[in-house]
Amino acid sequence: RHILAGLGHLSKLTKTSDINNKTDQIAKTGIPFLDTKFLDYYKNRIKDLKPSEKIIWGSPYSNLHYLYTRSFYLEKHPLSDTLKKAVKLYLETAKNDWLNYSIYEKGLAALTLNRFDEKETAKKIIESLKETASSNEDSGMYWISNKSGWYWYQSPIETQALLIEAFAEVNNDKKSVDAMKVWLLKNKQTKNWPTTK
């Protein structure tokens, strides 16, 4: 997922045919693999589900990250009918449960919903994030609850970068994006960034 998401970013940033050809070669085998894993997970979840029960997803981070990754490749690798059904169910869950998500999940949800044409909910998420942000001239715009943790989805730098992407893509909010970049640059001045994330 991380490799394909990174390549999706690269394809968005660089429109050269050489990069796109190499990305397509990797995606040709990577995307079907991810789709199969997601469908297996989905089928296991709904196997014993009664019609009145709500599907409970495991790790929202993994599922949201899968859909976020998949959103880079919708044009060249369309969803199968079975996958569309599973994705629709998960998008509905995200639309209903996003208020309970962490900052990182909200950023993933906003981008994913926006790319899957659920633009209204994506805008609501961005507005909610904007309302909960802290802002000042020296530090820019940031979230106090954006703290480091043990898990891959608990990186303040990656979270801030994802939120910059979300604000730029969903609302084209240049003022907020510039303020969020200030926090990122200030952070770079005072801390070591040891990993790609």
Side-chain angles (χ1 to χ4, degrees):
R1 280 193 328 260
H2 288 285
I3 291 167
L4 286 167
L7 291 172
H9 274 126
L10 188 62
S11 293
K12 255 184 144 176
L13 294 171
T14 329
K15 299 291 181 194
T16 64
S17 58
D18 185 44
I19 298 266
N20 286 337
N21 289 339
K22 288 177 181 172
T23 303
D24 289 345
Q25 287 174 352
I26 296 168
K28 199 179 347 178
T29 51
I31 292 297
F33 175 80
L34 283 183
D35 289 350
T36 302
K37 289 292 180 189
F38 183 75
L39 279 174
D40 288 347
Y41 180 79
Y42 168 74
K43 286 173 185 169
N44 283 335
R45 285 285 183 197
I46 64 165
K47 190 170 39 180
D48 300 320
L49 200 66
K50 294 178 180 78
S52 61
E53 290 179 325
K54 179 183 171 187
I55 189 167
I56 299 169
W57 296 90
S59 165
Y61 293 102
S62 296
N63 295 316
L64 262 175
H65 196 263
Y66 160 75
L67 292 174
Y68 168 74
T69 301
R70 197 62 176 79
S71 69
F72 286 107
Y73 301 94
L74 290 173
E75 197 174 296
K76 290 186 179 176
H77 301 276
L79 302 175
S80 67
D81 290 340
T82 313
L83 198 52
K84 279 181 187 171
K85 185 179 173 185
V87 166
K88 184 179 179 200
L89 188 59
Y90 191 82
L91 291 174
E92 284 300 316
T93 304
K95 278 170 59 177
N96 295 327
D97 295 349
W98 68 266
L99 281 168
N100 302 320
Y101 288 176
S102 70
I103 298 169
Y104 184 77
E105 284 177 297
K106 285 178 183 175
L108 278 179
L111 284 163
T112 302
L113 288 165
N114 190 56
R115 292 175 186 173
F116 279 94
D117 288 326
E118 298 287 351
K119 296 184 185 302
E120 201 171 302
T121 307
K123 286 181 187 223
K124 283 181 191 173
I125 295 170
I126 295 298
E127 287 306 312
S128 171
L129 283 165
K130 197 170 183 176
E131 288 170 10
T132 58
S134 297
S135 193
N136 65 52
E137 202 172 305
D138 290 337
S139 300
M141 184 171 158
Y142 61 98
W143 287 262
I144 293 168
S145 59
N146 184 12
K147 304 251 187 256
S148 287
W150 291 103
Y151 300 103
W152 64 267
Y153 48 80
Q154 294 175 321
S155 165
I157 303 304
E158 186 185 10
T159 299
Q160 187 81 356
L162 181 84
L163 292 173
I164 289 171
E165 181 185 2
F167 273 72
E169 191 174 309
V170 175
N171 274 5
N172 197 20
D173 185 349
K174 290 184 176 148
K175 187 178 177 190
S176 293
V177 167
D178 287 343
M180 290 159 68
K181 286 178 182 177
V182 168
W183 182 89
L184 208 56
L185 291 169
K186 293 280 184 188
N187 195 287
K188 180 63 177 163
Q189 288 175 342
T190 59
K191 292 190 176 82
N192 178 29
W193 291 1
T195 70
T196 53
K197 295 179 91 49

